[in-house]
Amino acid sequence: MKKTFSRQSVLGAVLVPGALFAVAVPEIAYADTASVTVTTPGPTMGPATPFTGVSSHADCADGLVSGGGISQSTGDDRAGNGNHVMGIAPSADGVTEFTGSPGVVGTDATHWLAFGGSGSNSSLAFSTTPYAVCLHSNRIRHTQVVMNKAAGPSVGQTSKTVTATCPTGTLLIGGGARTTPASVGSLKPIAGFPTFDDAAHDFGQKAAADGETNPDSWTAVGGIGGGRDSGNTTYAYAICSRDDVNVNNMTTTVHFRELSGPDTAGTSQTATVGCADPAEERHNGRENNVLVSGGAAASGGNVTTNDFTKAGSGGTHLIGNYPSDSDGKPVGDGATTAENWTADIHVGGSPSPNTYSDVWALCLNLNHGQAMR
């Protein structure tokens, strides 16, 4: 942990014959630093059969996972239906999921899991690509994962909202969403976003808005088309700084964008948002403006002013939720310049009226030149 001296000058006593002199020792200031590297192993093929799932993982050889993403492909058929996100989540080893009792379920996670699922349509061309956002910081050297879960959704054309909240005094730096089982083809997470455990945000039902700072929670929303229950469960994950990390002078800022659509069967749409211009942050006294994670939703709109509502069709789903360039293209393995986050929404086989594409970027700001203690 970083050592700091008091803002007041430290006085050293120097004994000289006949007198005691106080010598002022100047305080020492060190710059807080933070950067990220995105890692991805490339696509994992599948699922190739109906009502099944496939998992893949991206790993941080250096640093800690602050967030991560997923992108899916249906091959050359962009209008192909059936391939949907089944979840993204931190992992201790790149294989094991945190699915036990809610609460703090892990520390210092360095792996990211991505899950793809298929409905009644599948193809040998389907693939799932994971992205891990690896944080390097001289302040945030330890993290913890908080998980919450709830049964459902189980009734056709409904959704289930679950919120995981960081311990008091810690900093939210990312999150994930997951639904199980993959055998229920119309079950999938339709949203994952930063929020607050307070009345103004209906305790996670309402998402953090553009420009809000220091959200403390991550909400996951599971959605279902045709009603079927095989032990359906929705999981929310919050990645937080650990209790022993000094979060003074650290701020996270939410950037948010919402677009109308898509609503035509077999079509999709991307929405992209980025962290603010670094020059603006320097003007505000902050030198770092680092994309640490992001979120996405297929919604009924107005998610930052009203409680979350689902899109107009139960088949509307996420096929992408990942770090990107400003045009919405996923960044490559080893990228150190990711500044944007993209959500990719697909309608499925039925029209989806009153559908919106939502995307969030969570940006870390560190005040520089703080005295160390």
Side-chain angles (χ1 to χ4, degrees), residues 44-100:
T44 294
M45 303 309 295
T49 56
F51 308 120
T52 60
V54 64
S55 65
S56 186
H57 61 92
D59 312 299
C60 296
D62 185 27
L64 301 170
V65 162
S66 61
I70 181 173
S71 67
Q72 295 181 280
S73 173
T74 54
D76 294 333
D77 182 12
R78 175 67 176 171
N81 302 317
N83 198 14
H84 55 260
V85 171
M86 281 295 295
I88 52 175
S91 170
D93 55 12
V95 178
T96 307
E97 296 187 60
F98 295 120
T99 58

Side-chain angles (χ1 to χ4, degrees), residues 10-363:
V10 179
L11 298 181
V14 180
L15 186 61
V16 178
L20 181 66
F21 293 93
V23 179
V25 178
E27 63 183 14
I28 301 174
Y30 295 88
D32 288 327
T33 62
S35 64
V36 298
T37 302
V38 177
T39 65
T40 176
T44 294
M45 303 309 295
T49 56
F51 308 120
T52 60
V54 64
S55 65
S56 186
H57 61 92
D59 312 299
C60 296
D62 185 27
L64 301 170
V65 162
S66 61
I70 181 173
S71 67
Q72 295 181 280
S73 173
T74 54
D76 294 333
D77 182 12
R78 175 67 176 171
N81 302 317
N83 198 14
H84 55 260
V85 171
M86 281 295 295
I88 52 175
S91 170
D93 55 12
V95 178
T96 307
E97 296 187 60
F98 295 120
T99 58
S101 299
V104 177
V105 293
T107 58
D108 295 345
T110 58
H111 304 270
W112 190 258
L113 297 174
F115 303 89
S118 61
S120 58
N121 294 322
S122 61
S123 168
L124 293 174
F126 283 2
S127 68
T128 296
T129 302
Y131 300 86
V133 180
C134 307
L135 175 65
H136 319 278
S137 171
N138 66 350
R139 184 90 78 89
I140 305 176
R141 297 180 179 178
H142 298 287
T143 59
Q144 56 189 319
V145 177
V146 179
M147 182 271 287
N148 197 10
K149 63 181 179 179
S154 303
V155 178
Q157 307 299 323
T158 64
S159 61
K160 173 66 70 172
T161 301
V162 183
T163 301
T165 298
C166 290
T168 300
T170 67
L171 190 74
L172 175 78
I173 56 174
R178 172 85 162 113
T179 57
T180 60
S183 58
V184 180
S186 68
L187 174 68
K188 61 270 179 182
I190 55 176
F193 51 79
T195 184
F196 296 81
D197 183 33
D198 62 20
H201 296 80
D202 201 4
F203 303 98
Q205 299 284 330
K206 186 187 302 181
D210 186 58
E212 289 196 286
T213 59
N214 291 340
D216 61 7
S217 304
W218 200 272
T219 287
V221 183
I224 195 169
R228 178 180 163 195
D229 189 355
S230 296
N232 299 353
T233 306
T234 299
Y235 299 85
Y237 299 92
I239 302 175
C240 320
S241 62
R242 211 167 67 178
D243 295 342
D244 56 358
V245 174
N246 178 6
V247 297
N248 291 336
N249 302 307
M250 291 196 294
T251 302
T252 54
T253 302
V254 174
H255 294 279
F256 168 74
R257 187 183 187 196
E258 182 173 80
L259 300 178
S260 178
D263 52 22
T264 303
T267 64
S268 59
Q269 173 174 275
T270 60
T272 299
V273 71
C275 294
D277 181 71
E280 176 184 341
E281 294 300 319
R282 285 194 295 271
H283 178 72
N284 292 331
R286 300 187 179 101
E287 297 282 342
N288 271 320
N289 193 47
V290 180
L291 176 77
V292 289
S293 60
S299 76
N302 300 314
V303 293
T304 65
T305 55
N306 298 312
D307 287 2
F308 184 91
T309 57
K310 64 191 299 293
S313 168
T316 302
H317 54 273
L318 297 171
I319 57 173
N321 179 12
Y322 51 79
S324 73
D325 62 19
S326 59
D327 294 324
K329 181 181 178 180
V331 299
D333 183 48
T336 58
T337 58
E339 298 178 349
N340 301 275
W341 202 271
T342 291
D344 197 351
I345 314 300
H346 195 282
V347 172
S350 302
S352 185
N354 303 316
T355 296
Y356 290 80
S357 302
D358 303 288
V359 63
W360 292 261
L362 188 62
C363 308

